Amino acid sequence: MESKTASKPRNKARAAREHMKELETLQEKDPEFYQFLKEHDKELLDFNDEEIDEDDEIDMEDDEIDVENAEIPEDDETDASDFERVTSKAENEDKSATNVITTAMVDSWCNSIQENTKLGAVRSLMRAFRTACHYGDDEQHESSAKFAIMSSGVFNKIMLFVLSEMDGILRSLLKLPTSGGKKETINDLMGTKLWKDHNHLVKSYLGNALHILNQMTDTEMISFTLRRLRYSSIFLSAFPSLLRRYIKVTLHFWGTGGGALPVVSFLFIRDLCVRLGSDCLDECFKGIYRAYVLNCQFVNAVKLQHIHFLGNCVIELLGVDLPTAYQHAFVFIRQLGMILREALNMRTKEAFRKVYEWKFINCLELWTGAVCAYGSETDFRPLAYPLTQIIYGVARLVPTARYFPLRLRCARMLNRIAASTGTFIPVSLLLLDMLEMKELNRPPTEGAGKAVDLRSVLKVSKPTLKTRAFQEACVFSVVEELADHLAQWSYSVAFLEFSFIPAVRLRNFCKSTKIERFRREMRQLIHNIQVNSEFINERRLCISFLPNDPAATTFLEYEKKSGASPLSQYVATLHQRAQQRNDSLMGSSVIVGSHSSKFGNKMSEQDEEEEDDTMNEDGAAVFNSSWVPGSDSKAKQSKEGKKKKKKKMQGKQEEAITDDVVEDLILSSDEDGYDSSAREEDEETKPVPSKQQRKKQSVIDIPSSGNKDKAKPTPLKKKSKKRKLSTEFPNKDRKFHKKSNKRKRTN
């Protein structure tokens, strides 16, 4: 293998020498053609002599190899054996001295860098860093590598020092400020001699760090590495290819990472957009929207808050440059409108499915949040009208009761847009049409049913429509959204006119419905609407301006800030009730990224100092394991973790099975007409049987005789009679007693 790898550069160098000779002969024989090549193809003539110099070195090495591998005469066997021993010892000493990195070598490099910032030590450390990042990649080229890392302790020390100190070292070599900076400073620096001398160190640091990021599997390691690379993100403006790869990798971590990794990844992307500006804005906006769409295709109660966190991150990133963000937002909202138009024209199941899926609805939620956040800005305000039209069209696309959750979600989005922009949107029509559908006016025929979380579903099944839980959830949600819509205009001079039609239709629902609890909710809402109308009418008597007067906008401004209207206070109580209901439906309260959706514009200096102090502690804790790139230690840990998870899941399933058995026993006792209190006491005293015990009991209960009638399961009453008979009669007289019972039945 060594001879083959050495022959390849030797052949290249020989070809280079022949090419140089040909150029010299061409200049002598045909000077005019040589001059033509010089003017039109300089690369062909500006030939580099480095390969020839390398060939001389390779020839020297090959000569040594040839001397070592030379054939030895048979007469000098003793001299040959001695020669082989000496050469083998020399080879082992050279390999141990040049290839293996020890902790002493790393400590000496670090000390010399910290004391004098020696350039030779920096280069040696960067070679070691490259070896650490690429360790285990290509085993074939290990012999050609100048360094090799043999222990995890050396790897951890190199990674920790380079990630913690290399940004400051590079800034001192390039004479840049210790922190911050923008792309203009790097653009000015790229034409200087300092950049030409040290840019290879910057590229090596960023490129090798990106390589190790792709190899890491531990989220804490990735988070620490991204935190340290965030300080050097300004250098990526000089390397566009590396910049694109960093954006791609970081967006992947942002969408799929766990723990603190999504937050760290987003802060890295946001720093890139702030510092580099137009160089990466378009790619970051497109990439983060694409990553959001990929991660919001499926929704449940556990994943809902994480999707909200991702949406808040996208909205925060759009605020970096609103004019550029408006162009992208307009294109993406237009795509949603085209999908809706296709569904309205085609009227097929596939076209409806493209609209009524989580990906489409979550995109509407995202742009609703963006319009609400930046609706006061002149750049984003024009997007409110087309977005409102799309949401309204989605709500009315399939007006059936099975899509009540989706319609309620659309009404909630419209209320948010109306509140942020201060415009009137007729949301009450969508909500009042729901109350007039027959599914909410009929009594439930499927029983109580399971509790329905309307936030995590878009469509319900037909049996669910007939349950009491679904009807209650729909009616309560309609009351909350309708009250929220009316509360936005509870301080308007025209509130009496706004609320007249909703109040009339609510009274009609109270007359038509046969469910008392729904009447109670509607009467309470109607009462608060009437009280708020009286509150407004009392103050309307004291005004002198006309409805079209600009002074109408300042009507009840002080009361609006304090929230003094009766309808606003009623809405506050409804929000508390909705929050309690949602908390009871949530299976878990600890979710990734749920409390990290707000970011400040600037970070204080104290926070940066505290972050720097904690970084070294976190790095020492993170890079303190036996993990090395290419090792299987993490795979083993993941396998062990999977086994533990399986055991936990099996235990939970067994607990669930036992709970189901107990509930079934209680329900069966109620149906059979027994005394429930006595049965519950008996069941509390008896332990819950396991799976094997239940199987044995089922086998024992089956009679051994071949009669099919006897093999049928008997009700609990008959079992209890048999037990009493077995206690009253001895074993010999059982058959006679059974025969007498049969005779009585026949008579």
Side-chain angles (χ1 to χ4, degrees):
M1 290 296 292
E2 292 178 357
S3 62
K4 289 182 181 179
T5 53
S7 63
K8 290 181 180 179
R10 192 190 313 163
N11 294 331
K12 290 182 180 179
R14 287 175 183 172
R17 286 179 178 176
E18 293 176 358
H19 186 64
M20 288 290 293
K21 291 179 181 179
E22 290 176 357
L23 291 177
E24 291 175 358
T25 55
L26 179 64
Q27 186 177 7
E28 293 175 358
K29 292 181 179 180
D30 195 352
E32 294 179 359
F33 182 65
Y34 185 82
Q35 188 67 24
F36 176 80
L37 291 176
K38 193 173 183 181
E39 293 176 359
H40 297 280
D41 196 355
K42 289 184 179 181
E43 295 179 356
L44 185 64
L45 298 179
D46 294 340
F47 193 78
N48 197 359
D49 299 338
E50 291 180 358
E51 293 185 359
I52 300 174
D53 297 335
E54 291 177 358
D55 182 52
D56 296 335
E57 296 177 359
I58 292 168
D59 290 339
M60 292 295 292
E61 293 176 358
D62 292 340
D63 293 339
E64 293 176 359
I65 293 170
D66 292 338
V67 169
E68 293 173 359
N69 297 331
E71 294 182 358
I72 301 169
E74 296 178 355
D75 299 334
D76 300 329
E77 291 180 356
T78 55
D79 296 336
S81 60
D82 296 335
F83 180 73
E84 288 176 356
R85 291 174 186 173
V86 173
T87 53
S88 62
K89 288 181 181 179
E91 286 176 357
N92 293 329
E93 290 177 358
D94 292 338
K95 287 182 180 179
S96 62
T98 57
N99 289 341
V100 179
I101 300 175
T102 60
T103 54
M105 295 169 65
V106 178
D107 291 335
S108 64
W109 292 335
C110 296
N111 293 330
S112 60
I113 290 171
Q114 290 176 347
E115 293 174 359
N116 302 322
T117 317
K118 290 184 178 180
L119 188 59
V122 174
R123 289 175 178 171
S124 300
L125 187 63
M126 290 308 298
R127 291 194 197 99
F129 179 66
R130 184 190 181 284
T131 306
C133 294
H134 290 266
Y135 185 81
D137 287 352
D138 296 323
E139 297 179 356
Q140 296 178 356
H141 299 286
E142 286 182 358
S143 60
S144 62
K146 295 185 178 180
F147 293 121
I149 296 176
M150 300 303 294
S151 65
S152 59
V154 176
F155 170 80
N156 294 334
K157 184 169 289 188
I158 292 172
M159 295 298 297
L160 186 60
F161 182 83
V162 172
L163 292 174
S164 302
E165 305 294 335
M166 188 50 64
D167 179 69
I169 294 168
L170 294 175
R171 288 178 181 270
S172 63
L173 290 174
L174 297 171
K175 297 182 180 180
L176 292 175
T178 55
S179 62
K182 291 190 176 182
K183 67 175 182 178
E184 287 79 10
T185 58
I186 301 299
N187 292 335
D188 297 338
L189 183 66
M190 287 174 67
T192 61
K193 186 180 179 182
L194 286 174
W195 180 257
K196 292 179 181 179
D197 293 339
H198 305 302
N199 65 344
H200 65 282
L201 295 176
V202 180
K203 189 173 182 180
S204 176
Y205 171 57
L206 295 175
N208 293 320
L210 178 64
H211 182 80
I212 195 66
L213 275 176
N214 291 321
Q215 303 296 323
M216 288 179 179
T217 55
D218 187 15
T219 56
E220 294 181 357
M221 281 188 181
I222 298 171
S223 300
F224 177 78
T225 306
L226 280 178
R227 285 195 195 101
R228 300 311 307 176
L229 290 172
R230 179 182 159 198
Y231 296 102
S232 305
S233 61
I234 185 64
F235 295 114
L236 289 172
S237 62
F239 310 105
S241 60
L242 276 177
L243 176 61
R244 289 191 295 270
R245 291 166 62 190
Y246 263 100
I247 292 172
K248 185 177 180 180
V249 171
T250 312
L251 287 174
H252 173 72
F253 290 145
W254 171 74
T256 60
L261 185 55
V263 181
V264 175
S265 303
F266 173 73
L267 292 176
F268 186 89
I269 297 168
R270 188 176 182 276
D271 274 7
L272 287 178
C273 294
V274 171
R275 294 181 181 181
L276 304 186
S278 59
D279 291 348
C280 65
L281 276 176
D282 293 334
E283 192 163 357
C284 285
F285 286 164
K286 292 178 183 178
I288 199 168
Y289 183 69
R290 193 182 299 113
Y292 173 81
V293 172
L294 289 174
N295 288 280
C296 70
Q297 295 182 4
F298 305 101
V299 175
N300 52 28
V302 177
K303 198 178 178 182
L304 191 63
Q305 290 191 13
H306 182 65
I307 293 174
H308 288 169
F309 163 74
L310 297 180
N312 290 332
C313 290
V314 178
I315 295 168
E316 177 70 19
L317 191 65
L318 294 175
V320 174
D321 190 352
L322 286 178
T324 306
Y326 170 80
Q327 297 175 1
H328 291 279
F330 180 81
V331 173
F332 296 140
I333 292 173
R334 184 173 176 271
Q335 290 177 356
L336 299 176
M338 292 173 67
I339 295 172
L340 177 61
R341 184 180 65 183
E342 183 183 358
L344 290 170
N345 294 332
M346 299 293 291
R347 290 287 175 179
T348 59
K349 290 184 179 180
E350 294 181 358
F352 289 157
R353 194 178 294 113
K354 290 181 181 179
V355 176
Y356 283 1
E357 62 178 356
W358 277 114
K359 183 167 61 175
F360 190 93
I361 301 301
N362 283 324
C363 289
L364 289 179
E365 291 272 6
L366 172 66
W367 297 120
T368 300
V371 169
C372 293
Y374 308 113
S376 59
E377 303 290 337
T378 56
D379 294 319
F380 251 73
R381 191 177 180 84
L383 295 174
Y385 179 74
L387 183 63
T388 302
Q389 294 294 321
I390 293 171
I391 296 172
Y392 217 91
V394 170
R396 289 186 173 275
L397 183 61
V398 183
T400 60
R402 296 184 66 185
Y403 288 99
F404 274 178
L406 185 141
R407 179 173 282 212
L408 288 169
R409 186 179 286 270
C410 291
R412 196 175 299 116
M413 287 189 277
L414 292 174
N415 277 334
R416 291 173 60 193
I417 295 173
S420 61
T421 58
T423 56
F424 176 76
I425 301 174
V427 184
S428 60
L429 297 177
L430 294 174
L431 300 171
L432 293 171
D433 289 343
M434 293 174 60
L435 294 177
E436 294 177 357
M437 290 187 181
K438 59 184 179 181
E439 284 79 6
L440 294 182
N441 293 317
R442 291 176 179 176
T445 58
E446 295 291 336
K450 295 182 180 180
V452 181
D453 189 1
L454 299 178
R455 302 171 305 159
S456 59
V457 293
L458 296 178
K459 178 183 176 182
V460 295
S461 60
K462 290 182 180 179
T464 307
L465 289 175
K466 302 175 183 179
T467 59
R468 186 177 65 188
F470 176 75
Q471 291 182 355
E472 287 181 355
C474 286
V475 173
F476 292 160
S477 299
V478 168
V479 170
E480 291 164 7
E481 296 302 325
L482 186 59
D484 196 5
H485 167 67
L486 294 174
Q488 295 175 8
W489 305 102
S490 61
Y491 303 95
S492 175
V493 183
F495 177 76
L496 181 62
E497 290 76 14
F498 279 138
S499 61
F500 177 74
I501 294 177
V504 171
R505 296 182 69 175
L506 288 174
R507 290 191 185 97
N508 293 333
F509 177 76
C510 287
K511 293 178 182 178
S512 62
T513 186
K514 298 179 181 179
I515 303 172
E516 183 61 30
R517 58 184 178 279
F518 294 166
R519 291 178 184 172
R520 197 182 310 117
E521 285 290 327
M522 295 304 164
R523 286 170 183 168
Q524 191 174 2
L525 178 58
I526 293 169
H527 172 71
N528 283 279
I529 292 173
Q530 291 176 349
V531 172
N532 199 88
S533 299
E534 295 173 358
F535 171 76
I536 296 296
N537 288 333
E538 289 177 0
R539 285 153 180 80
R540 281 174 66 172
L541 298 174
C542 304
I543 63 174
S544 58
F545 54 81
L546 298 175
N548 59 354
D549 196 339
T553 57
T554 61
F555 180 70
L556 298 180
E557 187 176 1
Y558 177 76
E559 287 82 355
K560 186 176 183 179
K561 291 180 180 178
S562 60
S565 70
L567 199 56
S568 297
Q569 297 174 1
Y570 174 64
V571 168
T573 58
L574 290 179
H575 287 171
Q576 292 178 359
R577 186 182 70 178
Q579 186 64 36
Q580 292 175 359
R581 185 172 67 249
N582 294 333
D583 291 341
S584 63
L585 292 173
M586 285 294 294
S588 61
S589 58
V590 181
I591 297 172
V592 177
S594 59
H595 300 291
S596 53
S597 58
K598 296 181 180 179
F599 305 95
N601 294 327
K602 294 182 180 180
M603 185 182 289
S604 61
E605 295 180 357
Q606 294 180 355
D607 294 338
E608 289 183 355
E609 291 177 358
E610 291 177 358
E611 188 178 0
D612 292 335
D613 294 337
T614 56
M615 280 301 164
N616 295 327
E617 297 177 359
D618 294 342
V622 168
F623 287 99
N624 194 20
S625 62
S626 60
W627 181 79
V628 177
S631 63
D632 296 332
S633 59
K634 288 291 176 183
K636 293 178 181 178
Q637 292 178 3
S638 63
K639 288 181 180 178
E640 292 177 357
K642 288 180 180 178
K643 290 181 180 178
K644 291 180 180 179
K645 287 182 180 179
K646 285 183 179 179
K647 290 181 180 179
K648 289 182 180 179
M649 291 297 292
Q650 289 176 358
K652 290 180 180 180
Q653 288 176 358
E654 289 179 357
E655 291 177 0
I657 289 169
T658 54
D659 293 339
D660 293 339
V661 170
V662 173
E663 291 176 359
D664 292 340
L665 288 172
I666 294 170
L667 290 172
S668 63
S669 65
D670 294 335
E671 292 175 358
D672 293 336
Y674 283 104
D675 188 9
S676 60
S677 61
R679 289 291 303 276
E680 286 174 0
E681 289 176 0
D682 293 337
E683 286 167 1
E684 287 176 359
T685 56
K686 293 179 182 179
V688 179
S690 62
K691 287 184 178 180
Q692 296 179 355
Q693 291 175 355
R694 274 185 263 122
K695 289 181 180 178
K696 290 180 180 179
Q697 289 176 2
S698 62
V699 172
I700 293 170
D701 291 337
I702 297 173
S704 59
S705 63
N707 275 334
K708 295 182 180 179
D709 297 334
K710 293 181 180 180
K712 293 181 180 179
T714 56
L716 292 174
K717 290 181 179 181
K718 293 181 181 180
K719 284 185 180 180
S720 61
K721 287 181 180 180
K722 287 180 181 179
R723 288 171 188 169
K724 289 180 181 179
L725 291 171
S726 63
T727 54
E728 291 174 359
F729 295 98
N731 293 328
K732 294 181 180 179
D733 298 333
R734 282 184 188 174
K735 295 181 180 179
F736 174 76
H737 183 72
K738 289 180 181 178
K739 292 179 181 178
S740 63
N741 284 334
K742 288 182 180 178
R743 290 174 183 173
K744 288 179 182 179
R745 288 175 186 173
T746 55
N747 294 328

